[in-house]
Amino acid sequence: MVAADPAGTMAATVASLARAAGVSEPTVVRFCRSLGYEGFADLRLALNRADAVAEGAAPPRPPG
């Protein structure tokens, strides 16, 4: 679902994504962690960054 609709995932909540996928909310969080993110919020941020880069924006610089 994430790959098929990244924009929808960015707009989703854990609960709405879990409902749409037919899984539990903890399963969504475990999925995010299996991809190397700390949780759903980090996955959404990564999708947002990837979308911005795809649109030609410079990638964000790490703090520090």
Side-chain angles (χ1 to χ4, degrees):
M1 292 188 73
V2 173
D5 187 10
T9 301
M10 285 188 284
T13 63
V14 172
S16 66
L17 185 61
R19 258 192 319 276
V23 299
S24 68
E25 292 177 34
T27 297
V28 172
V29 174
R30 284 191 298 270
F31 168 73
C32 296
R33 290 182 179 160
S34 76
L35 296 176
Y37 301 103
E38 288 188 31
F40 184 65
D42 286 339
L43 173 64
R44 287 176 54 193
L45 286 172
L47 289 171
N48 193 21
R49 284 187 207 116
D51 187 49
V53 170
E55 291 179 4
R61 292 181 153 192

